[in-house]
Amino acid sequence: MKKYENVSFRDVDLKDGFWLKRYLLNKNVSLESVKNRFEETARFDALRFNYLKNGRKPHIFYDSDVAKWIEAVAYIMEKDRDSMRENEKFIDELIDCMANAQRDDGYLNSTVQQICPDKIFKDRGNHELYCAGHLIEAAVAYDKVTGKHKFLDVMEKYCDCIYRAFISEKTADFITPGHEEIELALLKLYRYTGKKKYFEMARFFLENRGKHDEQYVYDGNRYGTQDDTDIYHLKEAVGHSVRALYLYSGVADLCAETGDPKLLSALTSVFDDIVNGKMYITGGVGSTFRTESFTVPYDLPNNTAYSESCCAIAFILFALRMRKIDFNAKYGHLIERVMYNSLLSSTDLSGKAFFYENPLEIALEEYGREIAVPESRKERLPITCSCCPPNINRFFAELGDVIAFSDGDTLFIDQYVSSAVNSPLGRAEIVENYALDGKAQISSQNYVGKKLAVRLPEWSEKLVATSDGKPVKFEVKEGYAYFETGKSFSLQLDFGIKASFVAANPKVRADAGRIALTYGPVVYCLEGVDNGARLNRISVSADSAANAELVKDFHGLYSITTDGFIDKDNSALYFPVSESVKEPKRLKFIPYFAFANRGESDMLVWVRKA
C-alpha cells in the first residue's frame, strides 16, 4: 500500500484571504470566548479538582472539553507562541492540578474521582476512555511545542493504568469504550514516542470492537455504538455519528501502520456509504437527533437534520486519514464541501457563539404551535453543546493540515487556500479568491519535484490552465490534473465557477421537487429576513441561475439574487388549482454558513422547483 505524506500545518503559512481571516477569528476571538465560558461553567475547576469549592458537579465530558481547548492553544503556539504566553501559564497551572490529583495507580478523571470513585472503569458510557483520548492528544501537542514533559508524563502514567485495567489484568467491566476516541489518540502517542505499547493498546481497542457481548450504551442496540461488526467487516456507517467517525479515523490510522488491504476495503465501503447516501449537501452527517446518529441511505430530513458540528470535524479527520492510504480526489472533494458549509456554519460570524446542530431548514411557525403539548415534549429547536466549541478551536488552529500532501516526487494541492506550503519538494505559493472567482495561482522558485498535481473540484466542468498567458497542457488522473514543471513555475488555474442549481437523488424524499443553489464550493440558502416568512411558498426555476446577480456584500463572499415566484395567499383552506396564483419575486440567497446571524428568521436550502 502506497502512503502519501500530509504537509503539516507547521509547514504552512496562511496568507491574506478568506481562510486566514477565519483562522485569526478563531485565534483572537473564539479561543478566548470558549475559555471565558469554560471558566464560568466550572469546566476548568473540574480539572483543578476543586468542584466542592464552587458547589457545581463536573460532567463526564468536562475533561475532554478542556483537553481540546488546550490542544488548540498548543497548535496556535506552534505559529505564534508569544501571543499565547498567558494561556501557556494558565495551562501549566492546570497540568500541576492534574498531576497532584492523579491517583498513585495513574488513574485520572475529574468526574469519577470526585463524584463516584467506586465506578472506575465500571460504566462503559462514562466517557473515561474518551476523555483520556483527548487528554492524550492535548499532551502530545503541548509536549511537542513547549518541550515541557509534565503533561505527557501524566498521560503516559494514565496509559499504564489503562493497559493494566483492560489488557494485562483485565479488571475493567467492559472491553472497548462506549465513545471512541482513545484509539486514534493512542496511535498519535505511538507515533510521537515510538513506544510500541501504545500501538498495541490502540489495536486492542480497535480489534475487539464488535466481538464481545459487553455493555451496550444504547439500550442493547448494537448499532448505536458500532458494536454490530468488527472493523474488518465494516460496510456501512451506523450509530452515533461522531463516535463512528472517530472509530473510522482510528481504523484508518491502524491501516496506515499495517498496510492491511482488508481494512482499506472496509474503510472505503464506509466512506462511500456516507457520501453516496447519508450526507447532506452541506457535508453534514447525522440525520436524527435521537442518539445523534446515522440512519438509512437517503433519509435526509432538512428541518430535523442533526448534522452536529463535531461531525463536520470528525468527517474531515476521517477524510484526511483516508487521503494518506487511498489515492482519490473524493477525499479532497469531501473536505472542501464540509469546510465551506457545515463546518463554517458551526460558528456565528462574530466568532463568539456556536451551533451544535446545523439544520437545512428552519420554519419559525413550527415552534410554539403545540399549545396543548407539555413543555418537555414540544418541538425542539437546534441547540448548542460544549463539546463543539473547543473542537472548532483546535480544527482551525491546525487549518493548514488540509492543504497539500506528497508522494515523494509530486506535490498535490488539495485545497485552494492562500498560503505558502513548505514541502520537502520546495516552497509552493498559493494565491486565490477561490470562492469568489473560482481561480487560483500556484507558483514556486525552488521546486525539486517531478510533477505538480492539483485537485479538480467536483463542481468544475472545465479547467483552463495558463502560464504567462499561454495555455499549459496537463494530464488528468483520478481527479487530479498533473503538470510538468521545472524548478521555477507559475500556473494560473481557472475552474469556471458559476451559480447553478442542483437536485438531489429522487430517493431523498425530503428534497423531491426541490433544488438548491450553489456557487462553486459554497451552498446557498434563503432567509426570511431577506425574503419574508414561510419560505416554502417560494419556488424558483433552475435556469434562473444563468441570470443571477452576484454582489460581494456578505462577509467576503457573494450574496446572489435571482428571479423566482411566491404563492399568493388564498383565503380558503383548499381551492381549485386554477385559482392558484404565483407572483414574481426577486430572491436573495446568502451562503449557508452565514444563516442565523441576523436575528431569528426562517431559513431554507432546498427550494421548490418552479
Side-chain angles (χ1 to χ4, degrees):
M1 180 188 298
K2 185 175 182 179
K3 288 196 284 188
Y4 298 83
E5 292 301 319
N6 183 57
V7 177
S8 169
F9 75 95
R10 298 174 179 86
D11 298 314
V12 172
D13 300 314
L14 299 177
K15 301 296 185 181
D16 188 41
F18 180 84
W19 288 107
L20 175 60
K21 291 183 176 68
R22 188 60 189 79
Y23 174 87
L24 292 175
L25 183 70
N26 180 65
K27 174 187 173 184
N28 299 328
V29 179
S30 298
L31 192 74
E32 196 67 19
S33 179
V34 172
K35 180 183 180 182
N36 292 338
R37 184 61 177 156
F38 280 10
E39 198 67 90
E40 291 170 8
T41 56
R43 279 165 172 75
F44 292 128
D45 276 348
L47 278 170
R48 294 183 182 115
F49 284 78
N50 64 354
Y51 87 94
L52 289 173
K53 179 180 177 181
N54 59 54
R56 290 181 285 188
K57 290 184 179 181
H59 193 278
I60 57 174
F61 53 65
Y62 277 11
D63 291 12
S64 65
D65 289 348
V66 176
K68 284 178 279 191
W69 183 84
I70 293 173
E71 189 180 354
V73 173
Y75 292 146
I76 292 172
M77 287 170 65
E78 291 273 8
K79 310 298 289 187
D80 183 8
R81 188 168 179 177
D82 286 342
S83 70
M84 293 288 116
R85 290 296 181 185
E86 285 300 314
N87 281 332
E88 183 177 352
K89 180 181 177 182
F90 181 84
I91 291 168
D92 285 342
E93 292 170 354
L94 283 176
I95 292 169
D96 287 341
C97 291
M98 286 187 275
N100 291 333
Q102 187 170 32
R103 288 167 43 119
D104 291 341
D105 64 1
Y107 185 84
L108 180 67
N109 183 280
S110 67
T111 300
V112 175
Q113 284 177 250
Q114 297 179 85
I115 303 297
C116 49
D118 58 325
K119 296 291 186 181
I120 292 176
F121 300 138
K122 299 297 182 185
D123 187 339
R124 193 174 179 228
N126 259 356
H127 282 55
E128 289 162 285
L129 297 181
Y130 170 75
C131 287
H134 279 301
L135 285 167
I136 291 167
E137 290 198 84
V140 169
Y142 199 69
D143 191 88
K144 184 176 292 187
V145 69
T146 66
K148 302 173 186 176
H149 304 312
K150 191 171 189 177
F151 193 8
L152 191 66
D153 290 343
V154 166
M155 294 316 301
E156 289 202 72
K157 185 178 179 182
Y158 191 10
C159 285
D160 289 342
C161 171
I162 293 169
Y163 183 87
R164 291 192 300 272
F166 288 88
I167 299 176
S168 62
E169 298 175 7
K170 298 186 184 299
T171 57
D173 283 3
F174 53 96
I175 300 169
T176 61
H179 194 313
E180 300 92 327
E181 209 285 331
I182 194 173
E183 301 89 341
L184 57 91
L186 285 167
L187 285 162
K188 183 177 288 188
L189 183 61
Y190 159 66
R191 289 168 176 166
Y192 184 61
T193 65
K195 297 179 181 179
K196 191 77 171 179
K197 179 178 184 178
Y198 303 132
F199 172 82
E200 295 302 334
M201 289 175 69
R203 190 169 198 162
F204 172 85
F205 286 127
L206 290 168
E207 291 191 337
N208 275 284
R209 183 161 292 275
K211 289 185 175 181
H212 304 276
D213 186 20
E214 56 179 323
Q215 296 177 5
Y216 298 122
V217 178
Y218 290 147
D219 298 324
N221 186 326
R222 294 179 64 88
Y223 295 95
T225 43
Q226 297 76 47
D227 291 314
D228 55 302
T229 188
D230 67 87
I231 61 173
Y232 291 94
H233 295 88
L234 295 169
K235 292 183 179 178
E236 57 182 342
V238 298
H240 187 287
S241 46
V242 176
R243 301 178 194 216
L245 288 166
Y246 280 161
L247 171 66
Y248 308 146
S249 295
V251 176
D253 278 340
L254 179 63
C255 182
E257 293 297 328
T258 64
D260 193 321
K262 287 185 178 179
L263 289 179
L264 179 56
S265 177
L267 289 166
T268 53
S269 293
V270 168
F271 187 90
D272 291 344
D273 176 62
I274 300 172
V275 298
N276 292 331
K278 297 178 180 177
M279 177 185 73
Y280 286 97
I281 190 174
T282 58
V285 292
S287 55
T288 176
F289 70 88
R290 296 177 181 87
T291 70
E292 309 173 14
S293 293
F294 290 105
T295 56
V296 296
Y298 309 111
D299 176 40
L300 296 167
N302 294 309
N303 61 332
T304 58
Y306 204 68
S307 186
E308 184 188 337
S309 297
C310 282
C311 287
I313 294 166
F315 207 178
I316 291 177
L317 295 180
F318 180 32
L320 282 172
R321 285 162 169 77
M322 291 302 293
R323 190 176 75 176
K324 294 181 180 181
I325 56 177
D326 181 34
F327 180 70
N328 195 303
K330 64 185 179 183
Y331 305 115
H333 296 338
L334 179 279
I335 293 169
E336 176 180 287
R337 182 182 294 274
V338 174
M339 280 179 59
Y340 278 97
N341 301 290
S342 64
L343 175 66
L344 282 178
S345 69
S346 63
T347 309
D348 81 334
L349 297 174
S350 75
K352 297 179 180 179
F354 305 88
F355 268 141
Y356 185 47
E357 305 172 43
N358 297 274
L360 279 73
E361 179 178 355
I362 295 175
L364 294 180
E365 62 187 307
E366 291 288 311
Y367 310 107
R369 62 187 171 81
E370 299 166 314
I371 58 175
V373 176
E375 197 65 35
S376 63
R377 299 177 65 183
K378 287 184 178 180
E379 188 76 49
R380 51 192 300 284
L381 279 162
I383 61 172
T384 188
C385 180
S386 65
C387 67
C388 296
N391 216 4
I392 294 163
N393 287 158
R394 71 171 183 153
F395 175 82
F396 281 109
E398 54 176 348
L399 177 64
D401 266 358
V402 306
I403 297 173
F405 63 99
S406 70
D407 68 353
D409 58 18
T410 301
L411 179 65
F412 295 84
I413 303 300
D414 218 35
Q415 303 301 326
Y416 300 98
V417 175
S418 290
S419 58
V421 178
N422 301 295
S423 79
L425 301 177
R427 179 181 174 92
E429 302 269 357
I430 305 172
V431 179
E432 51 80 29
N433 274 313
Y434 182 69
L436 288 172
D437 60 16
K439 297 177 182 179
Q441 176 178 296
I442 303 171
S443 60
S444 179
Q445 301 300 317
N446 65 342
Y447 194 64
V448 297
K450 293 181 180 179
K451 293 182 179 181
L452 177 80
V454 303
R455 182 179 57 85
L456 298 171
E458 59 182 335
W459 51 263
S460 175
E461 297 177 358
K462 182 181 180 182
L463 167 62
V464 176
T466 58
S467 179
D468 295 326
K470 299 178 181 178
V472 178
K473 293 182 179 180
F474 54 86
E475 180 184 11
V476 175
K477 290 189 295 184
E478 296 177 303
Y480 289 88
Y482 288 77
F483 295 89
E484 299 283 351
T485 62
K487 180 179 179 181
S488 176
F489 66 84
S490 179
L491 292 170
Q492 290 76 45
L493 309 174
D494 185 347
F495 296 107
I497 197 169
K498 63 181 181 180
S500 61
F501 282 99
V502 299
N505 187 301
K507 294 179 183 177
V508 182
R509 185 173 60 177
D511 301 333
R514 295 175 180 265
I515 52 180
L517 182 65
T518 62
Y519 183 77
V522 182
V523 174
Y524 278 71
C525 69
L526 295 172
E527 272 204 303
V529 67
D530 301 308
N531 303 284
R534 301 193 177 188
L535 298 173
N536 274 317
R537 296 186 300 156
I538 290 174
S539 58
V540 65
S541 174
D543 58 17
S544 67
N547 300 315
E549 178 184 358
L550 280 60
V551 179
K552 187 180 177 182
D553 67 346
F554 221 90
H555 300 272
L557 296 186
Y558 293 128
S559 64
I560 300 177
T561 56
T562 188
D563 292 325
F565 305 92
I566 187 167
D567 293 346
K568 187 176 180 180
D569 284 337
N570 193 301
S571 59
L573 181 58
Y574 306 105
F575 47 85
V577 174
S578 59
E579 294 182 15
S580 177
V581 177
K582 293 183 183 295
E583 296 179 334
K585 182 176 179 61
R586 192 70 174 162
L587 306 175
K588 180 176 181 177
F589 291 81
I590 65 167
Y592 167 77
F593 71 76
F595 84 88
N597 276 273
R598 296 175 291 170
E600 289 190 351
S601 177
D602 288 358
M603 183 271 291
L604 188 65
V605 170
W606 290 96
V607 186
R608 286 192 299 146
K609 184 178 179 181

